[in-house]
Amino acid sequence: MKIFTTRKEILAFLSEQRLQGKRIGFVPTMGALHQGHLSLIETSKNSFDLTICSIFVNPTQFNDPKDLEKYPRPIDVDIEKLTNANCNVLFLPNVQEMYRENETWKMELGDIENILEGKFRPNHYQGVTQIVSKFFELIKPDVAFFGQKDFQQYLVIKAMVDKLKLSVELVLCPIVREADGLAMSSRNVNLSNEERQHALALSKVLFNTKDNFEERSLDQLREDARSFLEHSEGLKLEYFEITEAKTLRPATTKNGDGLVALVAAFVGKTRLIDNLILK
Ligand code: AMP
């Protein structure tokens, strides 16, 4: 696997690869890689000549400095995992490589930016679009792969790609879970054994909602789920919502195109999110 840390190096390599007609699949990550990330790499590898993974803990998308500070960065282990996964290129820039001093960014993204995650993490999606647009501009991938785990992030990036009329195609990949249902997340390493058990309430409530989907009304499903989460030990609920999959606005009918249930909660000091497509 080739590892590049500067824009200049990766640009030179990519222009050479493009001359050879190689098609590029791109997987942006913040590292602390797990099977969820590796599933994206594998999907890219199945269809593309060249798979590029980036690892960059993007400071502009963290609204809490402590969260940024304690974000896991096991780079040696990550490199080993990517090598074993036969990833072709790792792009590993530092902050100075990606940002000019005092750089500003504002992209009008509409409603989607301020609801759910956006409401609890102000400016988060400005930071996400800022860095992903930089990566897209630099790498110019044919296709970029994102996990459903961050479903709202996928919709925000789709809105950005439409708005900027970028030619990259986006592919959404399923959530990879632990055997007991917990969605894999880089943040899971911060959970104690006890917290790890408490965290199971998130996936459990999503699966219960899906199981009861036919029998109960949307409002009953919401009420059941919120009540379950509010009474779950060791959990501080931020939101549970059943929304239209396209807009993430609260669903008012079960008859629409697609419905998704989304949840966010603190387990101890660790903030976790999860979601499940209901329909
Ligand atoms: P992150 O490193 O958390 O920024 O995630 C990088 C990419 O991996 C994003 O597109 C995530 O949605 C995706 N991802 C994270 N966790 C999972 C998971 N459990 N299953 C599938 N994809 C995931």
Side-chain angles (χ1 to χ4, degrees):
M1 181 175 68
K2 290 194 182 303
I3 303 178
F4 300 115
T5 56
T6 65
R7 303 164 66 95
K8 207 172 151 189
E9 283 170 326
I10 197 163
L11 272 179
F13 173 78
L14 289 177
S15 57
E16 194 184 287
Q17 296 292 310
R18 269 196 212 92
L19 284 177
Q20 297 171 25
K22 298 255 175 86
R23 302 231 313 143
I24 299 169
F26 177 47
V27 180
T29 82
M30 298 206 298
L33 302 178
H34 49 66
Q35 205 48 49
H37 298 112
L38 298 178
S39 74
L40 306 184
I41 305 274
E42 199 186 320
T43 309
S44 171
K45 290 234 25 133
N46 286 340
S47 314
F48 288 88
D49 310 309
L50 200 66
T51 292
I52 301 179
C53 174
S54 62
I55 296 183
F56 182 68
V57 183
N58 175 37
T60 66
Q61 73 187 67
F62 284 80
N63 48 314
D64 174 1
K66 280 203 201 93
D67 190 24
L68 173 62
E69 198 181 304
K70 73 167 194 254
Y71 201 85
R73 292 167 170 87
I75 191 61
D76 293 340
V77 183
D78 282 352
I79 290 174
E80 201 181 318
K81 287 181 181 168
L82 288 174
T83 307
N84 292 338
N86 293 317
C87 182
N88 304 104
V89 174
L90 166 60
F91 184 46
L92 187 63
N94 64 21
V95 174
Q96 289 71 35
E97 194 64 27
M98 295 311 295
Y99 287 104
R100 298 184 308 275
E101 232 172 282
N102 301 323
E103 194 178 307
T104 57
W105 171 266
K106 179 70 195 163
M107 171 163 278
E108 204 48 66
L109 293 160
D111 228 22
I112 189 107
E113 185 194 350
N114 301 313
I115 54 178
L116 304 170
E117 284 300 284
K119 184 167 159 198
F120 285 91
R121 302 185 70 185
N123 270 324
H124 172 63
Y125 288 123
Q126 287 299 325
V128 168
T129 51
Q130 186 178 20
I131 193 62
V132 174
S133 68
K134 279 172 186 282
F135 281 138
F136 282 177
E137 198 185 315
L138 179 70
I139 292 169
K140 296 195 171 54
D142 294 280
V143 175
F145 297 85
F146 292 91
Q148 186 203 312
K149 165 84 180 353
D150 299 275
F151 189 59
Q152 189 172 1
Q153 169 175 277
Y154 166 78
L155 293 179
V156 163
I157 291 170
K158 201 155 148 263
M160 177 189 85
V161 164
D162 288 346
K163 195 176 166 107
L164 299 179
K165 303 204 186 310
L166 304 178
S167 60
V168 58
E169 183 192 329
L170 305 181
V171 172
L172 185 66
C173 302
I175 301 177
V176 178
R177 298 179 178 280
E178 304 284 356
D180 57 10
L182 181 68
M184 289 193 185
S185 163
S186 302
R187 290 189 158 88
N188 291 353
V189 297
N190 293 330
L191 299 171
S192 67
N193 287 342
E194 199 185 18
E195 288 171 342
R196 172 77 181 62
Q197 286 308 307
H198 294 159
L200 289 178
L202 272 72
S203 52
K204 202 166 160 192
V205 86
L206 293 172
F207 287 115
N208 280 345
T209 303
K210 189 160 187 169
D211 288 344
N212 296 328
F213 184 70
E214 297 301 336
E215 290 85 62
R216 301 183 75 84
S217 72
L218 289 173
D219 279 343
Q220 283 167 338
L221 290 167
R222 286 184 180 106
E223 216 177 289
D224 289 352
R226 286 174 189 148
S227 162
F228 175 82
L229 290 163
E230 274 153 10
H231 293 99
S232 285
E233 203 189 336
L235 221 80
K236 197 173 148 279
L237 177 65
E238 288 207 327
Y239 63 80
F240 173 92
E241 192 50 90
I242 300 175
T243 73
E244 294 167 3
K246 273 196 188 138
T247 61
L248 294 192
R249 289 205 192 99
T252 50
T253 161
K254 287 186 181 175
N255 302 326
D257 249 4
L259 293 180
V260 56
L262 304 106
V263 61
F266 272 94
V267 180
K269 292 201 163 93
T270 307
R271 187 174 184 278
L272 300 177
I273 58 172
D274 198 354
N275 68 78
L276 191 69
I277 309 270
L278 300 176
K279 196 188 139 191

